[in-house]
């Protein structure tokens, strides 16, 4: 089974405290290899983060018709939420690193976002970045430094919105019959692999792609390739190479 109409563009949203620069690094190349244009809107400011992104998806669907949507972490949650609300306008789903389903509860990503918001409010951005990036992989530290500074004074409010916002429930995902690729980094404790597998098991037409944080650190596109390879498989397409021109096999 394949999609009725091949996707010509995909709208991808970033995770908590991240930005469209990271989304482009992950997805632009693999999508281009499939002839799909990436649309990566910048984060709405502060407490508008969730409502603003959902409104952006509504506007793009009004303009372009059905959308292939997705994102990373919280961005994936919002894209799936929009697709659940608008199944007739969702052409497919690209989910990288989902962090929870339903209410966030004590999910590691939610707790981390709350702690980061508190740290920035208490210590200021520069001190919070110094503390947060101490001891993390250099690539991740650089990503946080760039993205957090771009969010600026709106960062804590955006982190708090993401930390408290429910993701689709597994029951809601079961009602979304579009092709879906769900990717996980199997060594990522903040976005646990069992969450990604639960999403894929609930979605009627989903496959799981796996990579690692080590691979992501060396090659941002490894996560995009894993997501798109899973989506292609869920669509019934078996490419000779992975998205991005890589040979078949682990990204």
């Amino acid at each position: 089974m394949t999609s009725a109409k091949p996707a010509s563009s995909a709208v991808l949203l970033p995770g908590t405290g991240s930005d469209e620069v990271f989304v482009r690094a992950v997805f632009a190349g693999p999508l281009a290899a499939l002839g799909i244009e990436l649309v990566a809107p910048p984060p709405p400011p502060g407490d508008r983060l969730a409502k603003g992104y959902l409104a952006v998806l509504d506007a793009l669907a009004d303009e372009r018709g059905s959308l292939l949507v997705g994102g990373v972490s919280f961005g994936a949650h919002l894209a799936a939420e929009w697709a659940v609300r608008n199944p007739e306008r969702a052409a497919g789903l690209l989910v990288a690193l989902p962090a929870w389903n339903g209410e966030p509860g004590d999910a590691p990503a939610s707790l981390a976002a709350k702690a980061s918001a508190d740290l920035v409010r208490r210590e200021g951005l520069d001190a919070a970045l110094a503390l947060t990036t101490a001891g993390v992989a250099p690539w991740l530290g650089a990503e946080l430094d760039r993205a957090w500074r771009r969010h600026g004074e709106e960062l804590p409010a955006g982190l708090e919105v993401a930390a408290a916002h429910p993701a689709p429930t597994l029951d809601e995902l079961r009602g979304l019959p579009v092709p879906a690729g769900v990717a996980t980094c199997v060594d990522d404790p903040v976005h646990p692999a069992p969450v990604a597998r639960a999403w894929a098991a609930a979605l009627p037409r989903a496959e799981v792609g796996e990579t690692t944080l080590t691979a992501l650190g060396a090659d941002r596109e490894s996560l995009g390739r894993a997501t798109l390879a899973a989506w292609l498989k869920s669509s019934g397409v078996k490419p000779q190479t992975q998205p991005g021109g890589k040979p078949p096999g682990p990204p």
Side-chain angles (χ1 to χ4, degrees):
M1 182 181 293
T2 58
S3 299
K5 183 179 179 181
S8 60
S9 62
V11 185
L12 278 297
L13 311 179
T16 309
S18 186
D19 61 9
E20 78 281 6
V21 176
F22 182 71
V23 167
R24 290 190 177 280
V26 169
F27 284 103
L31 284 168
L34 298 175
I36 300 174
E37 173 198 8
L38 171 62
V39 180
D47 61 8
R48 287 286 302 159
L49 182 65
K51 291 181 179 178
Y53 261 142
L54 293 171
V56 165
L57 291 173
D58 282 338
L60 286 169
D62 289 342
E63 174 189 331
R64 296 170 177 245
S66 62
L67 299 175
L68 174 60
V69 296
V72 180
S73 188
F74 184 61
H77 294 190
L78 291 176
E81 177 182 342
W82 182 86
V84 165
R85 294 181 184 180
N86 301 272
E88 73 288 349
R89 301 208 287 177
L93 193 58
L94 301 173
V95 176
L97 309 180
W100 61 81
N101 49 269
E103 295 292 336
D106 60 356
S110 175
L111 297 179
K114 292 176 184 175
S116 295
D118 290 343
L119 184 63
V120 173
R121 291 191 191 281
R122 184 175 67 250
E123 302 290 343
L125 182 59
D126 288 339
L129 274 168
L131 291 167
T132 301
T133 59
V136 306
W139 73 268
L140 180 56
E143 289 289 342
L144 290 171
D145 188 86
R146 183 203 67 253
W148 281 23
R149 292 188 187 282
R150 288 190 69 203
H151 284 272
E153 63 183 16
E154 301 285 0
L155 176 64
L159 291 170
E160 288 166 346
V161 165
H165 195 82
T169 67
L170 296 181
D171 280 344
E172 287 172 331
L173 294 176
R174 290 186 184 100
L176 187 60
V178 300
V182 183
T184 181
C185 289
V186 296
D187 56 349
D188 183 353
V190 178
H191 306 90
V195 173
R197 296 184 184 119
W199 277 53
L203 287 158
R205 296 176 59 193
E207 297 288 344
V208 177
E210 295 185 351
T211 185
T212 65
L213 288 176
T214 300
L216 180 60
D219 175 11
R220 305 296 178 272
E221 292 184 356
S222 62
L223 182 60
R225 291 194 301 273
T227 310
L228 283 163
W231 172 69
L232 288 171
K233 188 175 180 182
S234 75
S235 303
V237 178
K238 297 180 180 179
Q240 294 302 306
T241 61
Q242 287 188 350
K246 300 288 185 177

